Every structure is written in structure tokens, then in C-alpha cells.
Amino acid sequence: MVGFLNNNNRKAAVAGQFYPGSRTELNEQLRELFQNAAPRLLEKEQIQALISPHAGYVFSGEVAASAFQQIPETQSYKRVFVLASSHQYSFKGASVFCKGNYETPLGEVKVDIKLAKQILESSEVFVNKPEAHETEHSLEVQLPFLQYKLGDNFKLIPIILGTNGAEACKKIAEALQDYFTSENLFVISTDFSHYPDYENATEIDNKTADAICSNNP
């Protein structure tokens, strides 16, 4: 049973399942994934948000690495907001984790606990539901990519969405809008299509990507 141990840190729950469980093996796999990832598309552009899949690294790790590869080598962030969908619990709004830090085989990812608590108290759309984080993979699998790319030079705001309702998601976005600045990075964890065949998935995912990029849902 995964628990909040070591000063209420959120322990790694899917290490050894979705990605390697040892520091050495994880670093090696990340090195290979970034080596095979797509190059930067916009060399001079600053990255404020990216979308990354959250399946096991053997399935979607190269795509995820291609997303994080878009971050310029010289860019740094004060905070990284990771918004991830809940696979274990359904609830209204979004759960902000503010009990401790997250852990992976690469070490601790420090949570900006003070700001996380402020966000939690800022709107009724945010809830204190730490159990939504405890075994959830969709947020955890993003963290080794961030650690590999950015080191420990950022603080994390971990948010699990318990709903995919359009109105609720709009309220969450509005509540976080003030933090969408050049000093912060937003990572949206989503797999897009799961089950359609390749031809349909390609068509649907391209339309979804176009809708996101054009801000025209």
C-alpha cells in the first residue's frame, strides 16, 4: 500500500511499472528517449505550456520526450504546474496536493506548498483530496522528464482533475489564469486517443490538436 511517508511526501507509486524503478535505469531510458525525440520546432520561442502523454514509457515515452524537448536548454521556470486527469476517483473540480513533496527514483520534486495552499483556498473549484494523488500515474510519469530536463531548479504545483466537464474545466482554467506567466510552465498530461484504430485516431487527434492550437474548442 502506497502511503504518505517521510514528512507526508507522496511516494513514487508506479516506478517499476510505467517507467524503470531504479535511478540508473531511469536515467538511461530518459537519455535514449530524448536522443530519439523530435527536435525543437521553434528555436527562439519560449515555452509556457506543453501537452504530454501519460502512458508507460515503452508506449509513449518518445512522444513525451519530444514534448519536453521543446523547452530551450537555457530556459528555467520558477514553478511547473502539472494538470493531470484522475483515473481512480471522480469528483468535482481539481485536487491540489499540498501535504509534502513528490518523489521519483531521481529524487524529490519540491512542491511549492505555500502557493499550493493559496490556490486550494482561492476557489471552490479546488479541493483537498490527497487520496486522488496517492496512486495516480498521470501526474507522476511527467516528473522524471521534468527532472531530467530542468534538474531541481523548479517547484511543482501538482493538480489532479476529477472531472472532464467543460464548464468545470473552464472554471479551473480561469482560476489558474493569473499564474500563466513567463516564469511558470504548464504541463497538461493527456493521452488523446486510447481506443480508435490508427486511421481514426490520427484524424481525431489532429483535429483536437488544431482546436487547441487555434483556441477554438
Side-chain angles (χ1 to χ4, degrees), residues 160-215:
I160 299 288
L161 277 67
T163 177
N164 59 5
E167 282 304 311
C169 290
K170 184 177 180 180
K171 289 180 181 178
I172 294 167
E174 289 171 347
L176 294 174
Q177 187 171 357
D178 288 346
Y179 302 103
F180 192 69
T181 66
S182 60
E183 70 177 10
N184 297 325
L185 174 68
F186 275 68
V187 175
I188 314 302
S189 176
T190 179
D191 283 336
F192 278 28
S193 294
H194 272 72
Y195 304 112
D197 60 45
Y198 183 80
E199 184 177 347
N200 285 332
T202 300
E203 179 183 356
I204 293 166
D205 288 354
N206 281 331
K207 287 181 178 178
T208 301
D210 290 341
I212 292 169
C213 291
S214 63
N215 196 28

Side-chain angles (χ1 to χ4, degrees), residues 106-161:
L106 301 184
E108 279 192 334
V109 182
K110 293 189 181 302
V111 172
D112 190 333
I113 295 174
K114 181 179 179 181
L115 180 60
K117 287 182 177 178
Q118 289 177 5
I119 292 172
L120 178 62
E121 296 168 357
S122 69
S123 170
E124 62 182 10
V125 76
F126 298 117
V127 297
N128 184 16
K129 197 175 182 67
E131 64 269 25
H133 292 256
E134 191 168 0
T135 59
E136 181 54 59
H137 69 272
S138 61
L139 196 152
E140 179 183 332
V141 298
Q142 308 297 342
L143 302 182
F145 289 101
L146 286 165
Q147 290 173 294
Y148 189 87
K149 187 70 178 179
L150 299 175
D152 59 0
N153 298 318
F154 69 92
K155 286 191 174 182
L156 176 68
I157 303 292
I159 302 175
I160 299 288
L161 277 67

